[in-house]
Amino acid sequence: PRHPQCGLADALGYFSLQPVQVAKGLMIPSLVVTVLGLVVAALGVRCWQEEPHYLLAGISGTILFASGLMSLIPVAWYNHYLSALPAPAANAQEVGYSLVLGYLGSCLELIGGFSLALSLHQSCKECRRTKAAAKYPHSSQQGPAAVPSPDLVPYRQKPAPQAFSNPMDVLEGERSYRRPPPCDSDL
């Protein structure tokens, strides 16, 4: 059984190698950018309101995607040069859980960032609809009905999804208001 030893001197020059320096240099900023992306996502998604703010959600997706790249690059680079990194003669270097979790976390962050970045498409639709409405206002004058060109009509879409709420009290009849619940001493 191997026992890890901490606090040893860097006799092999491991920490001065370029892949290790890049990994140390990119992982902490990646975490900071991730926190920033999550804060912007919380403001953009706005679960407490009926309709999200698509532009902020899309920007947060772009930030999270960039953060996923910032963490994937050092993990992949370190893994690529793993066999070339110096190690004591008795130890063989192998891929450990930290690299596997680094790949998994980075890929999940890339997928989540990409899915949030898709909100930019909805934001662009809203911008085009607003510009089309301002450019071609509906006329309230009574006159011959003109058939609008398909290019001039704003894109019609289904309404934005709303948060689910159940108006029915599902615990009705289950609560007993007449007598309090039994205590341990009553049993």
Side-chain angles (χ1 to χ4, degrees):
R2 292 185 336 191
H3 297 288
Q5 297 176 350
C6 299
L8 297 177
D10 187 21
L12 300 174
Y14 172 79
F15 292 111
S16 63
L17 294 172
Q18 190 175 15
V20 177
Q21 291 293 324
V22 169
K24 286 170 55 178
L26 277 178
M27 290 308 277
I28 299 300
S30 171
L31 291 173
V32 172
V33 172
T34 298
V35 170
L36 174 70
L38 290 176
V39 168
V40 175
L43 296 174
V45 174
R46 299 191 308 189
C47 296
W48 59 90
Q49 293 185 359
E50 290 187 17
E51 192 167 329
H53 193 277
Y54 294 112
L55 182 62
L56 276 179
I59 290 171
S60 72
T62 306
I63 293 171
L64 288 172
F65 190 84
S67 174
L69 283 177
M70 287 174 65
S71 61
L72 182 63
I73 289 170
V75 170
W77 193 8
Y78 184 86
N79 190 26
H80 179 71
Y81 286 108
L82 186 63
S83 61
L85 295 175
N91 293 343
Q93 293 209 358
E94 57 189 35
V95 175
Y97 287 115
S98 60
L99 284 177
V100 173
L101 291 176
Y103 275 122
L104 181 64
S106 299
C107 290
L108 287 175
E109 194 169 12
L110 288 170
I111 292 169
F114 180 73
S115 63
L116 272 174
L118 291 176
S119 298
L120 287 173
H121 176 67
Q122 183 71 23
S123 175
C124 290
K125 281 184 190 177
E126 288 178 357
C127 288
R128 282 190 299 244
R129 187 178 14 197
T130 305
K131 286 180 183 177
K135 192 172 184 180
Y136 306 106
H138 297 278
S139 176
S140 60
Q141 300 171 356
Q142 296 293 336
V147 178
S149 167
D151 297 334
L152 303 179
V153 177
Y155 178 77
R156 291 193 177 102
Q157 64 182 20
K158 3 182 233 189
Q162 295 183 354
F164 176 76
S165 63
N166 190 357
M168 189 173 97
D169 184 11
V170 294
L171 295 177
E172 184 179 350
E174 296 292 323
R175 296 186 195 111
S176 172
Y177 293 105
R178 288 180 237 131
R179 95 177 211 229
C183 297
D184 289 341
S185 62
D186 294 341
L187 298 175

